[in-house]
Amino acid sequence: MTTPDIDTIQKYNSEQLYSHFVSEAATQKQIWILTDEYGSVMLNTDDEDCVPVWPSKELAEAWATGEWSDCKAEAIPLDKWHSRWTAGMEEDGFAAVVCPIESQDGLVVYPEELDKALKKKSQKLANQ
């Protein structure tokens, strides 16, 4: 299966973006975030403080424009995500916003829910 290009991904709805994210993150065994001099970039929705996450460096960098143009894309290995980020985000009351792109805000997901989806997809890939 080939990875769709950014132009194709830009046309996805939030559910398609979430599915793409889980599949790509599990396949690549990493999640991409943006960082600045203060650490991980955060977004605020109406209800949640969120860490934006992407399945690829290219998508993260494509979003890093305007006020985020000084940010750098950083890969988080999936095992580190499972062991440290999920619990840390839950403890701090943060959600993840999955794959925000130019045309979509991304889907807000609670860390435990995202963790379960990533583990399920990783297990499915390991069994193939």
Side-chain angles (χ1 to χ4, degrees), residues 25-27 78 82 117-127:
T27 300
L78 213 47
H82 293 310
L118 289 165
K119 286 179 178 177
K120 182 178 179 182
K121 184 63 174 182
S122 294
Q123 185 63 45
K124 190 174 182 180
L125 290 169
N127 291 334

Side-chain angles (χ1 to χ4, degrees), residues 19-102:
S19 179
H20 172 72
F21 171 83
V22 170
S23 180
E24 283 297 304
T27 300
Q28 302 301 323
K29 297 180 176 39
Q30 61 188 5
I31 290 174
W32 289 86
I33 63 169
L34 288 176
T35 60
D36 60 17
E37 71 261 26
Y38 305 107
S40 176
V41 169
M42 302 293 293
L43 295 178
N44 302 89
T45 68
D46 292 339
D47 301 317
E48 303 289 341
D49 292 327
C50 302
V51 175
V53 295
W54 294 269
S56 69
K57 181 179 184 179
E58 294 76 21
L59 282 174
E61 288 177 340
W63 197 77
T65 61
E67 66 182 285
W68 294 284
S69 61
D70 290 339
C71 295
K72 305 284 183 247
E74 181 180 322
I76 307 293
L78 213 47
D79 57 347
K80 185 176 178 181
W81 183 266
H82 293 310
S83 66
R84 294 185 35 205
W85 280 77
T86 298
M89 288 172 60
E90 284 192 341
E91 191 174 292
D92 293 338
F94 297 139
V97 60
V98 176
C99 209
I101 57 173
E102 183 180 330

Side-chain angles (χ1 to χ4, degrees), residues 1 6 17 25 49-50 61 111 115:
M1 183 172 138
I6 289 180
L17 285 169
D49 292 327
C50 302
E61 288 177 340
D115 203 57

